[in-house]
């Protein structure tokens, strides 16, 4: 059965169960009014006092109202529990009418008329699909990311959704892992800034306590924590990490979401140093609640309590329920562990009702803050839905975001752009020229895949009536995967039958534009790869095209950094488009034609081959660093490949060029509580307006523990007209130079720091030294 049919099947099935459950009427009680000018605490308390233990536990129970996409089904007694008013939250039900219908049914059965909270994975847009999050992060444009998150929130809240399972803020340094596409890449500072922007955008307020404002939703920081550090890049795999790495690298983006007022957290599937995150008191009690003072709510990931048994830490589901509650978890997604076992555990004295009260209070607080007690149908206005969903401003924003996310990796001899007024015959080749369904990526669960603009459509519209003439041959297909069985059944293994036609049209053209990549099921959750080259026979097709001697432009659509070692050497231009979403074809066509000057920069390094992984710019120096200028034996290096990645973090080309003036430091020494300013001029020295991402990196030369060779500490994205110069300045203070020492204390230690300001993590042309005094 095709994926889409499976989804539809489950969708209908689960809704049918819920509907059937609702036929049985129950003695309904009158509405209880919880409004008034009381504080939220008093209002929460007024409800809590009326609740039976069972009703409280019901609030901690969450179902998917849609389908079982990302894991096993629990017993799924949702119909039963609905009849007893024991579902606190449902996710992935969309549409004002749909949500209204389920809410009505819930209220009919909930003795105390407690509204249900509707959640969803609105990862990069609801119906207006923006680029996948990693692509959008490559724009380094925080305002843009906040805007797309806000647009997603407007659409989602108009479609019944009040709680978003996003942003995903996991640091990822391993492109084998399919979920790198959901985050903001390898860097702590950038990922933290992006995390804040996304929380601000989704919630639209500065703290969750203001959730009562109209059209606002709860955001959810996920997956707490270190999910991206899974062994060998395999999803759900174990994580063994020093506390130091946890504090220095993996926690900061989550802390940033707390600072940005995020309303909820989701647990991670993985175990961390032997303790699965979903049962990890250290994470949720010591760090999240005590150190960070987080007052919002915590939900498990999908069936994560059930999985405690497989992890080998819980004897059974009941034991798992106890362990997760003890760890400070408030809501159980899918496992039916809380709803089945908490009552018994209270009766046996294994847990206390107070623990349950704490969790339920947090859940009720959110429902009050969202205004659901005042109006449970607040998010169910079909008129608003019609006006808001896919409104022209959002579609335009999707176009802007898609253009801003495309990274130009190579452009030998200015192969690009292909200007409209320059006469050229262009052969369009490859499985992604007309591919439509993959353009939204794996996580756009509500984005209509039929609506995304293909590259073919974008290019034909762009070059209509121009001097550029297009011909097309697919050449080969994309290999597909049956997600139900994954690796056992790679289906549709492409053959070479189309090569001859592709080579034929290429031979009679001036330039070949090839569009290749990964089908969207090849990245995302549970889509990890050990070979991250272009799948199938796409490289073979490139090799065949290369023989024509014509220049090749390669446009890539994929969800992870790929091994492009052969392509980087043999093709003339490489455009990394990722999955750009709804406006894919138009955005990429703008870049190809030079109507938009590429301005995105990588947020994850591209390895030279899979054996280099993990390769990231902010690594340690080692005691035997390799020095290319003075190579010698017994240094930290490989025999067969350089240490550096193929394309480093922060890298990306433009159609224009930028000149950096010498960098000036206001003082070469800085007192502990002082500040210094780094200033420089950047000039657009090329022929076209453009945007440059100016990046500031530091290195702590000597510290009490070894420090990375470089760390991004600030950046500015600036627009420069042709010939224009702008003066920029960055302020450095001791916070910027601080780190976690071996006692996990956040310290600034005196000493020397290297400072670089440049166009990527590999740009060392502008170097200064700063002395931080005692
Ligand atoms: C994913 C989460 C997602 C949840 C609900 C899980 O499999 O890990 O990121 O929010 O499913 O769809």
């Amino acid at each position: 059965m095709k994926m889409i049919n499976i989804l539809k099947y489950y969708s209908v099935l689960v809704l049918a169960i819920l509907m059937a459950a609702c036929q049985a009427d129950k003695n309904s009680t009158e509405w209880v009014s919880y409004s008034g000018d009381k504080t939220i605490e008093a209002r929460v308390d007024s409800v809590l006092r009326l609740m039976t233990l069972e009703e409280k536990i019901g609030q901690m129970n969450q179902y998917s109202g849609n389908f079982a996409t990302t894991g096993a089904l629990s017993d799924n007694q949702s119909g039963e529990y609905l009849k007893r008013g024991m579902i606190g939250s449902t996710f992935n039900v969309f549409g004002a009418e749909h949500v209204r219908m389920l809410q009505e049914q819930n209220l009919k059965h909930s003795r105390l008329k407690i509204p249900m909270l509707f959640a969803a994975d609105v990862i990069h847009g609801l119906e207006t699909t923006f680029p996948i999050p990693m692509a959008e992060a490559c724009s380094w444009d925080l305002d843009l990311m906040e805007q797309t998150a806000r647009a997603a929130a407007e659409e989602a809240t108009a479609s019944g959704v009040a709680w978003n399972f996003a942003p995903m803020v996991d640091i990822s340094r391993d492109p084998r892992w399919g979920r790198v596409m959901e985050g903001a890449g390898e860097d702590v500072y950038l990922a933290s800034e992006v995390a804040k922007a996304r929380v601000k955008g989704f919630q639209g307020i500065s703290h969750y306590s203001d959730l009562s404002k109209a059209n606002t939703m709860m955001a959810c920081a996920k997956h707490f924590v270190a999910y991206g550090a899974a062994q060998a890049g395999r999803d759900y795999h174990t994580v063994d990490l020093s506390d130091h790495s946890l504090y220095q690298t993996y926690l900061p983006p989550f802390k940033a979401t707390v600072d940005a007022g995020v309303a909820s957290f989701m647990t991670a599937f993985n175990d961390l140093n032997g303790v699965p995150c979903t049962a990890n008191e250290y994470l949720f009690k010591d760090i999240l609640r005590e150190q960070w003072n987080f007052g919002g709510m915590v939900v498990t990931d999908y069936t994560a309590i059930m999985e405690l048994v497989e992890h080998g830490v819980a004897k059974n589901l009941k034991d798992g329920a106890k362990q997760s509650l003890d760890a400070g978890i408030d809501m159980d997604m899918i496992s039916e562990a809380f709803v089945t076992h908490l009552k018994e555990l209270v009766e046996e004295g294994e847990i206390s009702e107070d623990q349950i009260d704490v969790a339920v209070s947090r859940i009720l607080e959110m429902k009050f803050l969202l205004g659901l007690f005042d109006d449970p149908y607040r998010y169910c206005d079909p008129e608003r839905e019609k006006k808001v969903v896919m409104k022209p401003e959002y579609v335009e924003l999707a176009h802007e975001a898609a253009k801003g996310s495309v990274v130009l990796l190579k452009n030998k001899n200015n192969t690009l752009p292909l200007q409209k007024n320059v006469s050229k015959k262009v052969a369009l080749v490859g499985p992604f020229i007309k591919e439509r369904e993959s353009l939204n990526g794996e996580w756009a669960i509500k984005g209509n895949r039929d609506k995304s603009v293909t590259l073919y459509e974008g290019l034909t519209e762009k070059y209509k009536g121009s001097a550029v003439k297009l011909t097309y041959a697919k050449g080969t297909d994309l290999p597909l995967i049956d997600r139900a069985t994954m690796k056992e059944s790679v289906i549709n293994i492409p053959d070479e039958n189309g090569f001859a036609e592709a080579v034929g049209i290429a031979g009679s053209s001036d330039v070949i534009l090839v569009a290749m990549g990964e089908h969207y099921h090849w990245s995302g959750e549970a889509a990890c790869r050990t070979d991250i080259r272009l799948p199938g026979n796409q490289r073979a097709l490139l090799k065949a095209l290369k023989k024509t001697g014509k220049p090749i432009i390669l446009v890539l659509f994929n969800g992870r950094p790929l091994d492009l070692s052969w392509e980087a050497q043999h093709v003339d231009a490489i455009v990394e488009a990722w999955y750009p979403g709804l406006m894919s074809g138009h955005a990429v066509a703008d870049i190809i034609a030079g109507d938009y000057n590429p301005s995105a920069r990588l947020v994850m390094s591209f390895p030279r081959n899979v054996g280099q992984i993990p390769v990231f710019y902010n690594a340690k120096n080692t005691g035997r660093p390799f020095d290319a200028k003075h190579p010698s034996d017994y240094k930290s290096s490989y025999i067969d490949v350089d240490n550096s990645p193929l394309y480093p973090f922060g890298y990306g080309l433009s159609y224009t060029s930028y000149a950096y003036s010498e960098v000036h430091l206001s003082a070469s020494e800085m007192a502990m509580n002082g500040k210094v300013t780094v200033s420089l001029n950047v000039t657009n020295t090329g022929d076209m307006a453009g945007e440059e991402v100016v990046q500031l990196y530091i290195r702590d030369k000597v510290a009490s523990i070894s420090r990375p060779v470089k760390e991004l500490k600030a950046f500015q994205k600036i627009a420069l007209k042709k010939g224009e110069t702008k003066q920029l300045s960055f302020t450095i203070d001791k916070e910027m130079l601080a780190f976690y020492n071996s006692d996990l204390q956040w310290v600034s230690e005196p000493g020397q720091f290297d400072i670089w300001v440049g166009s990527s993590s590999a740009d060392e042309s502008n170097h200064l030294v700063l002395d931080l005094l005692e």
Side-chain angles (χ1 to χ4, degrees):
M1 201 165 17
K2 269 185 145 173
M3 181 72 176
I4 195 75
N5 292 336
I6 297 173
L7 302 187
K8 281 188 190 145
Y9 171 76
Y10 278 114
S11 164
V12 170
L13 179 74
V14 177
L15 277 176
I17 295 171
L18 291 173
M19 295 281 289
C22 295
Q23 304 309 315
D25 205 7
K26 197 173 173 238
N27 296 337
S28 63
T29 51
E30 288 303 302
W31 262 96
V32 184
S33 168
Y34 307 108
S35 53
D37 52 5
K38 294 192 201 113
T39 61
I40 292 285
E41 290 77 17
R43 296 177 83 190
V44 166
D45 197 49
S46 71
V47 183
L48 197 67
R49 271 189 288 114
L50 303 174
M51 294 172 82
T52 63
L53 178 58
E54 279 207 334
E55 284 167 340
K56 289 177 189 171
I57 292 168
Q59 286 303 302
M60 301 164 72
N61 180 28
Q62 187 185 52
Y63 286 104
S64 164
N66 196 351
F67 42 71
T69 41
T70 55
L73 277 172
S74 59
D75 272 358
N76 198 354
Q77 298 294 317
S78 52
E80 254 324 289
Y81 287 116
L82 183 73
K83 275 196 268 172
R84 289 158 59 190
M86 287 181 71
I87 304 183
S89 171
T90 301
F91 64 97
N92 290 347
V93 178
F94 299 100
E97 298 285 10
H98 244 127
V99 170
R100 173 179 286 274
M101 183 189 78
L102 278 184
Q103 189 69 285
E104 275 170 5
Q105 294 165 358
N106 164 61
L107 292 175
K108 202 155 103 189
H109 295 287
S110 163
R111 186 181 64 92
L112 295 170
K113 308 290 171 222
I114 300 178
M116 205 186 265
L117 176 54
F118 288 91
D121 291 283
V122 187
I123 310 293
H124 51 114
L126 186 74
E127 297 206 24
T128 308
T129 310
F130 300 108
I132 57 168
M134 189 176 64
E136 214 186 53
C138 288
S139 72
W140 295 54
D141 185 339
L142 300 171
D143 286 345
L144 179 81
M145 288 180 250
E146 189 178 328
Q147 282 176 48
T148 60
R150 187 86 287 271
E154 288 279 343
E155 286 196 358
T157 54
S159 300
V161 178
W163 180 15
N164 191 6
F165 292 153
M168 187 270 224
V169 301
D170 304 320
I171 294 287
S172 45
R173 293 167 162 180
D174 192 330
R176 290 172 297 185
W177 190 46
R179 299 195 81 167
V180 301
M181 51 90 78
E182 284 174 62
E186 72 191 33
D187 182 62
V188 183
Y189 173 74
L190 181 62
S192 302
E193 293 300 301
V194 171
K196 280 192 256 178
R198 289 190 168 140
V199 169
K200 253 165 94 186
F202 288 136
Q203 296 194 158
I205 44 178
S206 53
H207 189 260
Y208 71 81
S209 49
D210 284 335
L211 277 172
S212 55
K213 293 197 177 137
N215 310 335
T216 287
M217 68 191 332
M218 298 161 60
C220 181
K222 71 185 189 185
H223 310 82
F224 200 56
V225 62
Y227 185 31
Q231 262 176 29
R234 172 149 62 80
D235 214 352
Y236 318 124
H237 207 352
T238 202
V239 174
D240 206 294
L241 201 70
S242 71
D243 258 357
H244 186 264
S245 291
L246 182 67
Y247 273 77
Q248 190 70 40
T249 305
Y250 291 91
L251 290 178
F254 286 93
K255 175 64 167 56
T257 66
V258 174
D259 295 342
V262 74
S264 67
F265 264 55
M266 186 186 288
T267 69
F269 284 122
N270 53 283
D271 67 330
L272 178 66
N273 303 329
V275 184
C277 295
T278 304
N280 200 316
E281 280 197 45
Y282 173 57
L283 294 180
F284 288 97
K285 287 199 166 152
D286 299 356
I287 297 178
L288 184 63
R289 299 286 181 199
E290 273 174 35
Q291 288 181 32
W292 297 354
N293 205 18
F294 176 68
M297 63 180 269
V298 174
V299 63
T300 70
D301 203 345
Y302 201 105
T303 59
I305 303 183
M306 266 163 74
E307 293 168 29
L308 296 176
V309 176
E310 294 290 354
H311 273 294
V313 300
K315 292 191 276 288
N316 47 38
L317 194 61
K318 182 173 164 188
D319 188 18
K322 175 177 160 41
Q323 289 191 35
S324 336
L325 187 77
D326 284 343
I329 309 305
D330 304 317
M331 189 176 274
D332 163 9
M333 187 195 292
I334 301 283
S335 292
E336 294 185 335
F338 283 176
V339 79
T340 323
H341 296 294
L342 288 188
K343 185 160 181 252
E344 205 183 335
L345 285 163
V346 172
E347 286 160 1
E348 290 166 2
E350 287 291 322
I351 58 166
S352 70
E353 189 162 347
D354 284 353
Q355 284 177 276
I356 291 181
D357 284 355
V358 169
V360 177
S361 300
R362 290 186 191 127
I363 296 165
L364 294 179
E365 182 185 7
M366 290 303 162
K367 294 184 177 186
F368 271 113
L369 286 171
L370 288 163
L372 291 172
F373 275 98
D374 301 318
D375 176 8
Y377 304 110
R378 204 163 179 231
Y379 295 83
C380 306
D381 171 3
E383 285 309 308
R384 180 174 165 238
E385 187 177 25
K386 253 186 256 149
K387 273 192 225 136
V388 169
V389 172
M390 291 193 84
K391 69 179 182 187
E393 292 97 293
Y394 296 162
V395 173
E396 188 40 45
L397 184 62
H399 192 167
E400 284 303 308
K403 288 191 291 197
S405 306
V406 176
V407 189
L408 181 63
L409 294 177
K410 181 174 181 186
N411 195 16
K412 192 172 131 196
N413 302 331
N414 295 330
T415 313
L416 282 170
L418 303 176
Q419 278 154 352
K420 284 173 277 195
N421 55 1
V422 179
S423 168
K424 273 213 170 99
K425 281 200 280 181
V426 182
L428 305 179
V429 176
F432 258 99
I433 295 284
K434 291 194 175 176
E435 170 69 12
R436 193 187 303 280
E437 76 161 346
S438 285
L439 298 173
N440 286 356
E442 178 72 21
W443 263 113
I445 57 178
K446 196 65 185 19
N448 184 343
R449 294 184 184 278
D450 294 338
K451 288 191 177 157
S452 296
V453 180
T454 65
L455 182 55
Y456 187 79
E457 289 161 348
L459 291 171
T460 41
E461 191 176 313
K462 176 68 70 186
Y463 290 116
K464 202 163 141 201
S466 78
V468 172
K469 301 292 166 226
L470 308 173
T471 49
Y472 166 72
K474 189 174 189 185
T476 190
D477 289 318
L478 286 173
L480 304 179
I481 269 185
D482 176 355
R483 276 202 72 119
T485 49
M486 293 303 283
K487 60 178 176 272
E488 284 93 30
S489 60
V490 176
I491 51 176
N492 185 31
I493 295 175
D495 57 38
E496 299 197 351
N497 296 342
F499 278 27
E501 187 197 0
V503 170
I505 65 155
S508 52
S509 302
D510 302 308
V511 57
I512 319 167
L513 192 154
V514 187
M516 293 181 165
E518 297 172 300
H519 181 268
Y520 75 100
H521 282 331
W522 287 63
S523 66
E525 188 171 346
C528 303
R529 300 181 60 199
T530 59
D531 177 351
I532 56 169
R533 290 174 295 181
L534 282 169
N537 58 8
Q538 297 182 91
R539 193 178 274 181
L541 175 58
L542 277 175
K543 287 183 179 172
L545 294 167
K546 176 80 186 161
K547 290 197 186 125
T548 63
K550 300 293 165 80
I552 299 178
I553 298 162
L554 176 61
V555 182
L556 293 166
F557 296 85
N558 48 288
R560 56 162 57 75
L562 295 171
D563 165 353
L564 298 175
S565 45
W566 186 90
E567 293 75 7
Q569 244 188 315
H570 297 283
V571 307
D572 300 271
I574 304 180
V575 176
E576 177 53 81
W578 309 109
Y579 298 121
L582 178 69
M583 298 300 273
S584 292
H586 291 314
V588 178
D590 287 338
I591 285 178
I592 299 293
D595 290 343
Y596 180 81
N597 191 351
S599 66
R601 307 288 183 261
L602 295 180
V603 296
M604 233 183 130
S605 308
F606 275 50
R608 292 178 190 276
N609 63 32
V610 86
Q612 258 193 333
I613 296 170
V615 57
F616 47 92
Y617 84 95
N618 45 356
K620 299 288 181 73
N621 200 38
T622 81
R624 294 187 176 196
F626 181 74
D627 179 355
K629 286 185 207 123
H630 309 284
S632 66
D633 214 354
Y634 295 95
K635 294 287 164 129
S636 181
S637 63
Y638 299 103
I639 289 168
D640 52 354
V641 88
D642 277 0
N643 284 358
S644 63
L646 181 63
Y647 297 119
F649 174 83
Y651 169 84
L653 301 174
S654 162
Y655 292 149
T656 187
S657 49
Y658 303 101
Y660 285 58
S661 72
E662 236 173 64
V663 179
H664 178 72
L665 203 52
S666 60
S668 59
E669 293 180 340
M670 185 175 99
M672 249 319 153
N673 286 320
K675 282 184 170 84
V676 295
T677 309
V678 180
S679 49
L680 75 157
N681 289 336
V682 181
T683 306
N684 181 344
T685 49
D687 286 333
M688 191 177 177
E691 286 169 274
E692 169 72 329
V693 182
V694 181
Q695 304 161 38
L696 183 140
Y697 294 87
I698 64 139
R699 176 177 179 184
D700 190 346
K701 292 172 83 158
V702 180
S704 57
I705 58 168
S706 62
R707 306 281 299 121
V709 290
K710 209 169 266 188
E711 289 174 290
L712 179 74
K713 288 292 168 181
F715 65 89
Q716 291 181 36
K717 185 164 187 174
I718 50 164
L720 289 170
K721 294 189 204 94
K722 181 178 162 183
E724 192 186 2
T725 297
K726 274 191 182 154
Q727 195 188 31
L728 305 185
S729 61
F730 297 92
T731 305
I732 298 185
D733 59 15
K734 72 169 188 196
E735 268 301 290
M736 217 188 230
L737 309 178
F739 63 99
Y740 285 98
N741 68 11
S742 54
D743 296 329
L744 300 179
Q745 299 300 312
W746 181 248
V747 293
S748 308
E749 292 180 353
Q752 286 200 328
F753 292 80
D754 286 319
I755 294 169
W756 296 271
V757 182
S759 60
S760 88
S761 62
D763 180 359
E764 301 202 335
S765 46
N766 261 316
H767 175 231
L768 294 169
V769 177
L770 172 69
D771 229 322
L772 177 63
L773 304 174
E774 294 270 358

